[in-house]
Amino acid sequence: MAVCIAVIAKENYPLYIRSTPTENELKFHYMVHTSLDVVDEKISAMGKALVDQRELYLGLLYPTEDYKVYGYVTNSKVKFVMVVDSSNTALRDNEIRSMFRKLHNSYTDVMCNPFYNPGDRIQSRWALLPVSASSPGGPYFLCPYPVQVGPTSCVRSSPGGPYSCVRSSPGEPYSLCPIQSRAFDNMVTSMMIQVC
Amino acid sequence: MEWRRSYGRAPKMIHLESNFVQFKEELLPKEGNKALLTFPFLHIYWTECCDTEVYKATVKDDLTKWQNVLKAHSSVDWLIVIVENDAKKKNKTNILPRTSIVDKIRNDFCNKQSDRCVVLSDPLKDSSRTQESWNAFLTKLRTLLLMSFTKNLGKFEDDMRTLREKRTEPGWSFCEYFMVQEELAFVFEMLQQFEDALVQYDELDALFSQYVVNFGAGDGANWLTFFCQPVKSWNGLILRKPIDMEKRESIQRREATLLDLRSYLFSRQCTLLLFLQRPWEVAQRALELLHNCVQELKLLEVSVPPGALDCWVFLSCLEVLQRIEGCCDRAQIDSNIAHTVGLWSYATEKLKSLGYLCGLVSEKGPNSEDLNRTVDLLAGLGAERPETANTAQSPYKKLKEALSSVEAFEKHYLDLSHATIEMYTSIGRIRSAKFVGKDLAEFYMRKKAPQKAEIYLQGALKNYLAEGWALPITHTRKQLAECQKHLGQIENYLQTSSLLASDHHLTEEERKHFCQEILDFASQPSDNPGHKIVLPMQSFAQLRDLHFDPSNAVVHVGGVLCIEITMYSQMPVPVHVEQIVVNVHFSIEKNSYRKTAEWLTKHKTSNGIINFPPETAPFPVSQNSLPALELYEMFERSPSDNSLNTTGIICRNVHMLLRRQESSSSLEMPSGVALEEGAHLLRCSHVTLEPGANQITFRTQAKEPGTYTLRQLCASVGSVWFVLPHIYPIVQYDVYSQEPQLHVEPLADSLLAGIPQKVKFTVTTGHYTIKNGDSLQLSNAEAMLILCQAESRAMVYSNTREQSSDAALRIQSSDKVTSISLPVAPAYHVIEFELEVLSLPSAPALGGESDMLGMAEPHRKHKDKQKTGHCMVTTDHKVSIDCPWSIYSTVIALTFSVPFRTTHALLSSGTRKYVQVCVQNLSELDFQLSDSYLVDTSDSTDLQLVPLNTQSQQPIYSKQSVFFVWELKWTEEPPPSLHCRFSVGFSPASEEQLSISLKPYTYEFKVENFFTLYNVKAEIFPPSGMEYCRTGSLCSLEVLITRLSDLLEVDKDEALTESDEHFSTKLMYEVVDNSSNWAVCGKSCGVISMPVAARATHRVHMEVMPLFAGYLPLPDVRLFKYLPHHSAHSSQLDADSWIENDSLSVDKHGDDQPDSSSLKSRGSVHSACSSEHKGLPMPRLQALPAGQVFNSSSGTQVLVIPSQDDHVLEVSVT
């Protein structure tokens, strides 16, 4: 069970970051950000050896009183950082490793999505969908202009392109549905809930 | 000494130290002994006895007793050493050496182990023998000692394992086991096997940790509850002593707390690691240990007074660090900061929390409650340990001092923080350094020293911004805002506030708060009225799109332009904006009209809407993903001749690429840019920006022509100005001024002469306003009429081609001038109207080309003529127009094309003559032809032209021809030439009714020499006796040339000769077969002298051979006038003789002797050639005009049958 999972771009900006106690989100953001120091250090220290051995797991980045921070780096220098509660002694190196591997696979799936631009934040895109259509497999009706949904807004399918959302007639019942990166989200959720 | 061990462990060289202790029975280990260090490994019996008696009397008994004791304790490790002295030996020389004491002892005790008895001879002497015996003894001693050691160690390990296996049994005590395993560790340490010793401690560590974990999971061990007693002492790790006996004893007494146990365990590990030269592992393990202890205490729910653990951790960190510093030199430490910095940071963190706990960070200092807590904490530290008492910088002293006063705490905390930041920075852990810096900033803020906090907050913020971490950015900004508020940096505070007010990561209340801060400030009456606070707009509102009306963003001078922008307000509440101003840069362009046209075409599709890319989205992308370069080619052409002056490449988004990376956070906004107040502003006052999208419309009246570029967007709220320094992509609108223009162009591709044609007049008013009474004055051209139509109307369009009105056109015509009064139209409009013009057919060119005179002209030549003459004949008419806006007249040239081309031909039938006129329609239109006339212009009375055309009306279609034929009839002698004029009326076939009568089309031509003088008749006869001509057989060709008239005017030329009232002329005939159907055998031409008299006949006979079978046309017979050489005054004689010669032969032989004639002719040619050498002039041939010769046999054919033996079939096989 991880308390925070982050995917960080090669340029060190967060592609995805989620933590379970949401009230402490800020703390985890700081923690993950600080851990990048060690990630960078490890990557540069391992250098060539890392590439040769294909060892992507960076191990424990650093422990704090309450949490342990683990790192993993893909070949394209995208970093995964996982924060685990120190008191959770059930999670050993092997479990962490396999969690990272799962995360990596999910991330690969996201990258394979043709609608995902590499370097974009991995976020569920939201669209106003008629209630009937929001059931899985239902047809999607997208809205004609950006919809602000909390911090997330309805996005264009391509940079500079038209908005991929269309609002038909007002008054109809709509619900907001994530239309992308759902699988990744679900996977992260499962990793946060599931006790390995 | 090499030590071989059981369980396959690698042999090692060890150093085994041993003590020699006098034998006491009490010292022998009892059953269940756990002490290994004091364990008697080898029992040695020393004897000096060399006397058998003495041996028997005392030594033997003593030995037996000793042996029994050893056996009783099941100890098998013993050695008997017999010291021999030479001196004594000498005394007893008589004693048999065989029965020496050694042998006796060996016999008595070492029945199987003879090696258990060693002789040491003369130990004090310095002889080789002594040396040898010593060596032997020591070797034996070592071997045996090691044997025993190994055996006992193995036993001990086995015992220990057994004990460990019992750990699940109730009553098992960890402390007890700890002591046992530690004994083993001690032994290894003694053997200098630190690695093995460390393993023992690590095993203990792991075992204990596992118990704690299991306890946490509910599987409690009884003995563990003992460790769960409340923490009363937190005096940190003690690493200066190799063994902390005090703690060890407490463990032994089972009185140790968890911290004690951990402390002791770690101090041992630390000692061993330092022995192993691994100080960095100490640091690493220390950090783990400290974290672990804190966790374990939590897990075991041990009650700890607040701050106690912080004290313990702080002390421990410093202790570890000082211990490491103590055993390493500076350079080593510096290069291994990465290992120690964690401890530094941890210590800093703990000191900070202690400071907060004890009220040392607040501005006022600690209150009584804080002081009480401090006293309690200090009490838990106990007294300082003696070993550090003399050290000035001991952790104990530091902590005590730090907690003693606010100032001291500050000093220590700052020292630590700075040291940590420095270390982090030096090893490149910038993020960590910034994070510590943020803590420090927080501390400063608590201490009400915002000026010191700011730099740290800025540093951290810059770092977060650079890497796009939204939440930390928000948080740090919030702190920064507070800091700036305290510092009174109004501008910066407002900017940060605006950023925070638009930050979606904050709650609605917080955003409203920051927004209100800005509004509050803005509403304050400023003491300096002109003072403006300039803030970047980006955080306040974003420009989404812009819409021009008219959509092509081009207006004429004085026109109204609307610009509608969509601003997306980021503020959480509606904001009343006093005015929104767009700063416009104006540039005059010389060729603005051209530019306008260009612009129109380029931006036709854009629909006047410009979308702005969403500016740095809530999550700023890092500097690595800058926008791509937008490069454009730039060509600057000279306005006069459009030649290329300069060319280059322009980067359109320089301001995006070259801006400072941290620009979004940088507070300094070059105010000069913001106050770029030109004369050109678009303004919109009193707008309330609702959260979200807002539409704002600017309206402007265009003044000066040129290009206007929207540069900046400012929104002012009180004294706060939000400025968007660059509007990108570039938004421009153009204002143009246009001179009034008149444009006249035909409606169709080309104007046709003779029929009414429409011409379109376009008046572009430009800046001129057409007033009532303004008119166009057209000076009439002679041959062009302007047809006034009553119903002609003029359309008035606006510049964007929207029809605005239409009005009737009043046209007044006088002899010289046609005046068209223009409808009233405002400036920048277009008036369009159409006029009908008619180009009168001008006097047509005389179609008197002489070579067109007959049909008998070679056909090929005629074709060539047609090809070249395919384009229409044109006439230009120039009209000068006076426009009301100009004192100069405009001259307009209109080109009309004549739609027809006419050719004529003379046709003969014997002596009857016909004139054919061909009218060819070259235009695209169909016409109706009517009333064709052909008149003789010379008015000869006896000549009559009889039309053979039936229809008076005849259509002529586009690109087609119509032929007219007249027969020439005369009563008397015909004139040598005939002047004719052909005229035909025409009108466009499509038009129903024309308002005016059209002038007919005329064509004048001249026909000469049309009277037939000669008739040529050719006939081919088959060879005699044959019915038909056959191929390959010679046939005879008879040519009959007959003169049809008496001497006429036309005959009077050089060829005419007169003799005895008889006139004759010289003709040359030629038989040519161009189609190679015939082979002319013999001569094919000849000169004949033709009497000029009616019915004079000349007959020529020739032989021809048909080459093909079938109906073959006859070969052509051509007739030429045979003229003497040109010069009249040249020697007549020569010429005469020459002519005479020839003519004589012709005369002499007549027509019956063609052969000789031909020979002569040849000779004459030959002589002519040779005569040239003599300077003799050449006779000339002149073709007879086609009208003068009639070939009566033209078109006849002769049947030729194939020759009979012509049946050979050629077959070629390849």
Side-chain angles (χ1 to χ4, degrees):
Chain A
M1 189 183 83
V3 287
C4 176
I5 287 175
V7 180
I8 291 135
K10 180 168 175 264
E11 294 87 1
N12 286 337
Y13 62 91
L15 291 173
Y16 183 93
I17 180 159
R18 230 178 92 190
S19 46
T20 32
T22 33
E23 67 274 13
N24 257 339
E25 216 180 344
L26 179 67
K27 184 172 84 181
F28 289 118
H29 278 240
Y30 276 127
M31 194 180 291
V32 172
H33 182 249
T34 314
S35 75
L36 291 178
D37 272 339
V38 191
V39 172
D40 283 354
E41 213 168 81
K42 290 211 177 198
I43 289 172
S44 60
M46 286 164 125
K48 290 256 165 61
L50 179 79
V51 178
D52 292 343
Q53 293 169 8
R54 299 270 166 212
E55 174 57 286
L56 306 174
Y57 179 55
L58 296 176
L60 181 67
L61 298 180
Y62 69 85
T64 65
E65 231 173 75
D66 306 310
Y67 301 102
K68 287 187 177 124
V69 186
Y70 294 91
Y72 184 93
V73 64
T74 70
N75 287 323
S76 54
K77 300 282 171 287
V78 171
K79 296 123 192 166
F80 300 143
V81 173
M82 198 174 336
V83 183
V84 171
D85 214 314
S86 281
S87 58
N88 189 344
T89 45
L91 286 176
R92 309 246 167 206
D93 228 35
N94 267 338
E95 281 83 47
I96 299 287
R97 241 178 234 269
S98 79
M99 281 166 82
F100 271 129
R101 220 163 291 134
K102 268 196 249 169
L103 196 64
H104 196 169
N105 287 341
S106 265
Y107 175 72
T108 313
D109 289 346
V110 171
M111 293 295 286
C112 290
N113 185 338
F115 295 102
Y116 174 77
N117 296 319
D120 278 4
R121 286 178 57 90
I122 303 169
Q123 56 189 0
S124 296
R125 295 181 172 188
W126 298 87
L128 275 178
L129 308 177
V131 170
S132 55
S134 56
S135 55
Y140 291 131
F141 298 105
L142 308 176
C143 356
Y145 59 91
V147 184
Q148 200 83 26
V149 188
T152 326
S153 59
C154 185
V155 211
R156 290 164 162 183
S157 54
S158 64
Y163 289 101
S164 60
C165 337
V166 190
R167 185 170 78 168
S168 40
S169 61
E172 269 183 54
Y174 282 94
S175 69
L176 277 158
C177 292
I179 55 169
Q180 205 197 320
S181 318
R182 232 182 193 169
F184 189 79
D185 242 15
N186 293 346
M187 208 279 312
V188 170
T189 312
S190 78
M191 273 170 53
M192 289 182 150
I193 295 165
Q194 181 191 347
V195 181
C196 295
Chain B
M1 195 170 354
E2 198 183 71
W3 182 30
R4 296 178 184 281
R5 302 176 67 184
S6 55
Y7 303 121
R9 282 175 282 192
K12 276 184 187 165
M13 294 307 292
I14 57 162
H15 175 82
L16 185 61
E17 240 178 77
S18 51
N19 286 330
F20 291 88
V21 186
Q22 199 175 6
F23 180 78
K24 279 176 199 158
E25 201 175 335
E26 311 86 72
L27 282 180
L28 283 177
K30 290 161 196 72
E31 200 56 43
N33 177 39
K34 302 290 183 298
L36 201 58
L37 271 187
T38 53
F39 189 81
F41 286 103
L42 187 63
H43 302 271
I44 310 170
Y45 189 91
W46 297 85
T47 179
E48 234 181 345
C49 169
C50 48
D51 197 341
T52 326
E53 271 80 72
V54 179
Y55 169 72
K56 279 189 178 151
T58 59
V59 176
K60 191 179 177 182
D61 288 347
D62 199 26
L63 264 171
T64 315
K65 216 169 101 192
W66 176 69
Q67 285 267 328
N68 287 338
V69 172
L70 287 183
K71 261 180 204 148
H73 287 91
S74 63
S75 174
V76 289
D77 303 300
W78 46 266
L79 179 67
I80 300 165
V81 183
I82 301 150
V83 181
E84 281 184 352
N85 273 331
D86 275 356
K88 287 188 179 172
K89 237 185 178 175
K90 271 176 191 163
N91 295 342
K92 307 277 176 183
T93 41
N94 51 344
I95 293 167
L96 285 169
R98 156 171 80 82
T99 57
S100 65
I101 299 294
V102 181
D103 295 331
K104 275 193 188 308
I105 292 173
R106 276 192 184 142
N107 268 335
D108 292 344
F109 298 103
C110 323
N111 29 11
K112 275 161 199 163
Q113 300 157 295
S114 57
D115 56 340
R116 291 277 172 174
C117 187
V118 181
V119 179
L120 192 61
S121 346
D122 296 332
L124 299 176
K125 274 196 181 160
D126 190 16
S127 67
S128 62
R129 197 167 161 250
T130 313
Q131 202 70 39
E132 225 171 81
S133 72
W134 266 115
N135 277 344
F137 163 69
L138 286 176
T139 312
K140 183 71 68 181
L141 184 66
R142 277 187 198 132
T143 315
L144 288 175
L145 186 60
L146 193 61
M147 258 171 63
S148 156
F149 178 76
T150 310
K151 197 171 72 193
N152 283 298
L153 197 65
K155 190 164 167 285
F156 187 84
E157 279 180 339
D158 288 343
D159 287 348
M160 190 185 79
R161 275 187 210 102
T162 320
L163 186 59
R164 196 164 59 195
E165 291 316 312
K166 285 182 192 158
R167 66 183 183 274
T168 46
E169 290 174 13
W172 186 83
S173 163
F174 178 75
C175 292
E176 202 177 309
Y177 176 72
F178 183 91
M179 286 302 153
V180 174
Q181 189 155 10
E182 194 186 22
E183 193 70 24
L184 188 61
F186 282 147
V187 170
F188 282 124
E189 190 183 348
M190 184 264 294
L191 294 176
Q192 295 189 345
Q193 298 304 305
F194 303 117
E195 201 74 55
D196 291 295
L198 189 60
V199 167
Q200 306 311 316
Y201 283 111
D202 287 349
E203 277 179 19
L204 282 171
D205 196 348
L207 185 66
F208 187 74
S209 298
Q210 192 54 51
Y211 265 106
V212 175
V213 168
N214 290 351
F215 185 83
D219 176 20
N222 280 338
W223 56 267
L224 203 59
T225 49
F226 181 74
F227 286 102
C228 297
Q229 55 191 309
V231 175
K232 294 207 183 66
S233 161
W234 41 86
N235 46 9
L237 294 175
I238 300 150
L239 304 176
R240 277 160 225 253
K241 288 188 284 188
I243 301 172
D244 186 356
M245 290 316 283
E246 195 184 316
K247 288 232 164 64
R248 187 167 191 270
E249 277 160 26
S250 73
I251 293 166
Q252 221 164 2
R253 290 198 305 271
R254 307 186 186 184
E255 283 168 3
T257 61
L258 182 121
L259 284 186
D260 288 337
L261 178 74
R262 283 287 183 196
S263 299
Y264 177 72
L265 204 50
F266 185 72
S267 74
R268 292 297 304 143
Q269 286 168 327
C270 170
T271 309
L272 291 171
L273 283 170
L274 289 179
F275 277 137
L276 286 167
Q277 299 290 315
R278 278 146 59 180
W280 316 121
E281 203 177 326
V282 175
Q284 193 197 325
R285 279 165 172 250
L287 201 56
E288 266 172 52
L289 165 91
L290 298 177
H291 290 144
N292 198 22
C293 284
V294 174
Q295 282 299 319
E296 281 180 351
L297 287 175
K298 238 184 250 175
L299 195 66
L300 295 176
E301 291 159 357
V302 175
S303 80
V304 183
L309 265 184
D310 296 335
C311 286
W312 185 76
V313 169
F314 178 76
L315 289 173
S316 304
C317 283
L318 291 194
E319 178 72 16
V320 173
L321 289 172
Q322 288 189 354
R323 184 78 187 90
I324 291 170
E325 271 167 39
C327 64
C328 299
D329 57 22
R330 195 73 235 161
Q332 258 181 307
I333 291 168
D334 282 347
S335 56
N336 284 290
I337 285 174
H339 297 105
T340 55
V341 72
L343 286 171
W344 282 102
S345 148
Y346 199 24
T348 313
E349 197 182 305
K350 286 301 163 191
L351 185 61
K352 184 186 80 176
S353 64
L354 275 177
Y356 282 97
L357 187 73
C358 300
L360 295 165
V361 184
S362 65
E363 209 178 359
K364 291 175 214 128
N367 55 24
S368 61
E369 198 183 320
D370 295 333
L371 286 174
N372 277 340
R373 207 176 286 136
T374 313
V375 169
D376 287 347
L377 281 178
L378 288 177
L381 292 180
E384 181 162 25
R385 288 202 200 77
E387 61 267 23
T388 59
N390 298 325
T391 335
Q393 288 285 310
S394 72
Y396 180 83
K397 287 204 187 79
K398 270 193 179 172
L399 181 59
K400 214 157 188 183
E401 199 186 321
L403 295 183
S404 64
S405 73
V406 175
E407 291 75 26
F409 173 79
E410 186 178 342
K411 178 186 163 288
H412 281 286
Y413 178 62
L414 292 186
D415 279 354
L416 262 182
S417 294
H418 286 148
T420 311
I421 291 174
E422 204 178 298
M423 281 184 213
Y424 270 136
T425 315
S426 74
I427 56 167
R429 293 196 186 179
I430 304 298
R431 299 178 191 87
S432 311
K434 298 285 183 218
F435 191 63
V436 178
K438 267 196 68 217
D439 278 346
L440 196 54
E442 226 166 274
F443 169 76
Y444 278 128
M445 287 305 290
R446 292 285 284 266
K447 299 288 282 182
K448 295 278 179 267
Q451 68 282 357
K452 285 182 183 157
E454 196 202 350
I455 183 168
Y456 292 105
L457 290 173
Q458 289 281 18
L461 183 59
K462 201 192 278 181
N463 187 245
Y464 300 138
L465 278 170
E467 296 187 337
W469 286 73
L471 244 51
I473 289 170
T474 308
H475 180 240
T476 312
R477 260 200 197 129
K478 231 162 77 183
Q479 292 177 315
L480 189 62
E482 200 193 335
C483 172
Q484 285 164 341
K485 192 179 185 182
H486 284 300
L487 281 174
Q489 300 175 334
I490 292 163
E491 211 161 308
N492 294 347
Y493 174 62
L494 290 178
Q495 193 192 335
T496 313
S497 297
S498 78
L499 286 167
L500 286 168
S502 62
D503 197 329
H504 292 291
H505 293 285
L506 288 178
T507 60
E508 196 71 11
E509 284 70 42
E510 281 173 303
R511 289 179 60 190
K512 277 182 185 157
H513 163 74
F514 285 111
C515 185
Q516 201 53 50
E517 288 280 305
I518 301 170
L519 297 180
D520 285 351
F521 177 83
S523 60
Q524 273 172 22
S526 172
D527 42 335
N528 182 1
H531 183 68
K532 287 173 192 166
I533 302 271
V534 176
L535 300 178
M537 175 167 285
Q538 201 175 311
S539 56
F540 172 70
Q542 286 178 356
L543 195 55
R544 283 284 164 91
D545 52 48
L546 186 146
H547 176 80
F548 276 115
D549 182 32
S551 60
N552 55 15
V554 177
V555 281
H556 54 76
V557 170
V560 173
L561 180 82
C562 280
I563 300 170
E564 191 179 86
I565 60 170
T566 306
M567 278 181 94
Y568 195 91
S569 173
Q570 308 267 39
M571 294 293 115
V573 291
V575 177
H576 179 79
V577 179
E578 267 125 68
Q579 60 174 1
I580 294 178
V581 176
V582 181
N583 227 300
V584 179
H585 174 80
F586 168 64
S587 66
I588 302 169
E589 275 191 52
K590 292 266 162 58
N591 48 357
S592 74
Y593 182 74
R594 203 169 61 79
K595 161 90 177 146
T596 302
E598 198 181 296
W599 185 262
L600 276 167
T601 51
K602 227 197 293 179
H603 289 255
K604 218 167 236 172
T605 50
S606 75
N607 221 359
I609 297 172
I610 293 161
N611 284 309
F612 295 94
E615 290 174 55
T616 4
F619 305 104
V621 188
S622 84
Q623 59 267 49
N624 296 12
S625 50
L626 277 174
L629 277 175
E630 281 184 44
L631 294 177
Y632 288 89
E633 285 174 276
M634 189 255 321
F635 300 106
E636 203 167 273
R637 293 174 187 279
S638 98
S640 54
D641 57 348
N642 206 24
S643 63
L644 196 63
N645 274 352
T646 49
T647 181
I649 290 174
I650 295 176
C651 176
R652 287 239 184 126
N653 52 354
V654 176
H655 69 280
M656 312 259 295
L657 293 162
L658 296 186
R659 70 175 171 194
R660 291 169 47 171
Q661 295 298 339
E662 68 278 25
S663 63
S664 41
S665 70
S666 80
L667 303 169
E668 55 269 33
M669 151 77 58
S671 53
V673 179
L675 302 173
E676 188 191 87
E677 240 172 289
H680 304 277
L681 290 174
L682 302 177
R683 203 182 294 266
C684 199
S685 298
H686 296 289
V687 181
T688 300
L689 290 179
E690 297 288 335
N694 292 274
Q695 303 280 338
I696 299 151
T697 308
F698 297 96
R699 221 168 249 284
T700 181
Q701 187 159 33
K703 289 193 187 80
E704 273 180 82
T707 300
Y708 292 80
T709 310
L710 271 58
R711 282 281 180 85
Q712 292 188 339
L713 185 67
C714 310
S716 66
V717 181
S719 55
V720 180
W721 285 63
F722 293 98
V723 176
L724 183 67
H726 297 281
I727 295 177
Y728 182 84
I730 291 165
V731 182
Q732 288 179 322
Y733 67 89
D734 290 271
V735 175
Y736 67 93
S737 160
Q738 203 180 352
E739 290 300 314
Q741 272 189 328
L742 172 68
H743 201 64
V744 180
E745 60 184 3
L747 213 58
D749 285 348
S750 64
L751 295 167
L752 292 178
I755 53 167
Q757 292 285 282
K758 281 194 172 164
V759 172
K760 191 167 96 174
F761 281 67
T762 310
V763 176
T764 312
T765 59
H767 56 72
Y768 183 81
T769 309
I770 300 206
K771 297 176 286 291
N772 203 359
D774 278 343
S775 62
L776 296 176
Q777 307 280 338
L778 277 73
S779 64
N780 296 349
E782 282 160 43
M784 197 184 81
L785 291 178
I786 291 163
L787 307 174
C788 309
Q789 279 166 297
E791 74 276 18
S792 69
R793 297 189 76 81
M795 309 295 264
V796 181
Y797 297 100
S798 73
N799 244 10
T800 46
R801 302 299 300 175
E802 288 157 37
Q803 189 177 340
S804 58
S805 66
D806 66 274
L809 209 60
R810 275 179 294 118
I811 302 169
Q812 292 169 325
S813 271
S814 66
D815 288 350
K816 292 270 169 76
V817 178
T818 304
S819 160
I820 304 164
S821 60
L822 294 170
V824 176
Y828 295 102
H829 274 63
V830 176
I831 303 169
E832 276 186 4
F833 56 90
E834 286 169 15
L835 279 187
E836 282 203 326
V837 292
L838 176 67
S839 168
L840 299 176
S842 59
L846 195 75
E849 296 139 72
S850 58
D851 58 319
M852 297 291 287
L853 279 174
M855 272 308 271
E857 277 297 301
H859 216 67
R860 172 173 47 87
K861 224 174 175 183
H862 192 70
K863 261 189 180 167
D864 281 354
K865 210 64 217 162
Q866 265 189 335
K867 241 182 225 170
T868 52
H870 227 39
C871 48
M872 295 184 262
V873 181
T874 58
T875 46
D876 282 0
H877 297 287
K878 287 197 171 138
V879 183
S880 87
I881 303 171
D882 287 330
C883 304
W885 54 81
S886 169
I887 55 164
Y888 303 105
S889 336
T890 315
V891 176
I892 282 157
L894 293 172
T895 303
F896 292 87
S897 310
V898 181
F900 302 116
R901 195 179 60 166
T902 319
T903 52
H904 64 273
L906 182 73
L907 307 176
S908 314
S909 171
T911 50
R912 295 173 76 175
K913 294 288 163 182
Y914 305 90
V915 174
Q916 184 199 51
V917 177
C918 169
V919 177
Q920 196 182 354
N921 184 2
L922 298 172
S923 72
E924 303 289 330
L925 284 175
D926 299 339
F927 290 97
Q928 192 77 33
L929 296 181
S930 60
D931 307 324
S932 54
Y933 292 105
L934 187 70
V935 289
D936 179 17
T937 48
S938 53
D939 282 333
S940 44
T941 47
D942 60 332
L943 202 69
Q944 225 186 328
L945 286 162
V946 181
L948 302 177
N949 312 307
T950 50
Q951 282 172 300
S952 63
Q953 289 260 334
Q954 200 159 18
I956 177 165
Y957 296 105
S958 170
K959 308 286 181 202
Q960 301 214 336
S961 303
V962 163
F963 294 87
F964 298 94
V965 179
W966 282 266
E967 186 177 359
L968 275 175
K969 281 190 177 170
W970 57 90
T971 47
E972 293 165 27
E973 186 185 335
S977 69
L978 180 65
H979 288 271
C980 294
R981 185 196 288 139
F982 169 75
S983 77
V984 64
F986 69 100
S987 60
S990 56
E991 250 156 90
E992 324 79 49
Q993 196 64 46
L994 280 172
S995 51
I996 48 146
S997 57
L998 296 176
K999 292 272 169 67
Y1001 173 72
T1002 58
Y1003 174 66
E1004 283 187 26
F1005 59 94
K1006 189 174 147 194
V1007 184
E1008 282 183 315
N1009 300 330
F1010 55 85
F1011 192 75
T1012 311
L1013 297 180
Y1014 302 99
N1015 186 23
V1016 177
K1017 193 182 173 198
E1019 255 184 304
I1020 287 180
F1021 302 101
S1024 54
M1026 299 277 203
E1027 202 180 341
Y1028 297 107
C1029 299
R1030 283 182 187 275
T1031 55
S1033 62
L1034 284 174
C1035 305
S1036 68
L1037 168 73
E1038 273 197 12
V1039 179
L1040 195 70
I1041 302 168
T1042 313
R1043 171 90 190 180
L1044 295 178
S1045 69
D1046 290 324
L1047 184 69
L1048 290 174
E1049 272 303 297
V1050 294
D1051 290 317
K1052 289 175 179 161
D1053 57 12
E1054 292 167 80
L1056 192 74
T1057 50
E1058 186 187 353
S1059 60
D1060 306 330
E1061 306 283 310
H1062 292 289
F1063 295 93
S1064 68
T1065 185
K1066 284 203 163 65
L1067 295 176
M1068 182 179 152
Y1069 68 88
E1070 191 184 11
V1071 178
V1072 182
D1073 181 36
N1074 283 327
S1075 49
S1076 354
N1077 291 328
W1078 302 92
V1080 182
C1081 305
K1083 61 160 197 169
S1084 62
C1085 59
V1087 178
I1088 54 166
S1089 179
M1090 196 73 193
V1092 183
R1095 282 173 302 281
T1097 309
H1098 202 99
R1099 195 180 292 270
V1100 181
H1101 184 82
M1102 266 178 260
E1103 301 242 293
V1104 291
M1105 186 165 67
L1107 300 174
F1108 298 99
Y1111 284 100
L1112 299 183
L1114 295 183
D1116 287 337
V1117 179
R1118 293 183 194 162
L1119 216 55
F1120 301 94
K1121 245 179 200 171
Y1122 195 83
L1123 297 177
H1125 65 85
H1126 198 62
S1127 70
H1129 54 269
S1130 68
S1131 163
Q1132 193 67 41
L1133 187 85
D1134 279 354
D1136 281 353
S1137 69
W1138 182 72
I1139 295 163
E1140 205 171 28
N1141 211 0
D1142 205 303
S1143 71
L1144 266 177
S1145 68
V1146 173
D1147 272 339
K1148 212 181 266 175
H1149 305 293
D1151 294 334
D1152 303 321
Q1153 298 193 341
D1155 276 359
S1156 73
S1157 172
S1158 97
L1159 276 171
K1160 288 282 173 194
S1161 165
R1162 269 180 207 158
S1164 79
V1165 171
H1166 179 73
S1167 69
C1169 291
S1170 58
S1171 71
E1172 262 190 336
H1173 292 288
K1174 294 173 212 159
L1176 279 176
M1178 276 284 288
R1180 289 179 294 128
L1181 288 179
Q1182 192 184 35
L1184 281 165
Q1188 294 185 350
V1189 179
F1190 178 70
N1191 196 340
S1192 60
S1193 59
S1194 72
T1196 53
Q1197 290 178 329
V1198 173
L1199 177 66
V1200 177
I1201 57 169
S1203 67
Q1204 278 172 337
D1205 53 345
D1206 191 13
H1207 56 265
V1208 178
L1209 189 68
E1210 275 187 33
V1211 179
S1212 64
V1213 182
T1214 55

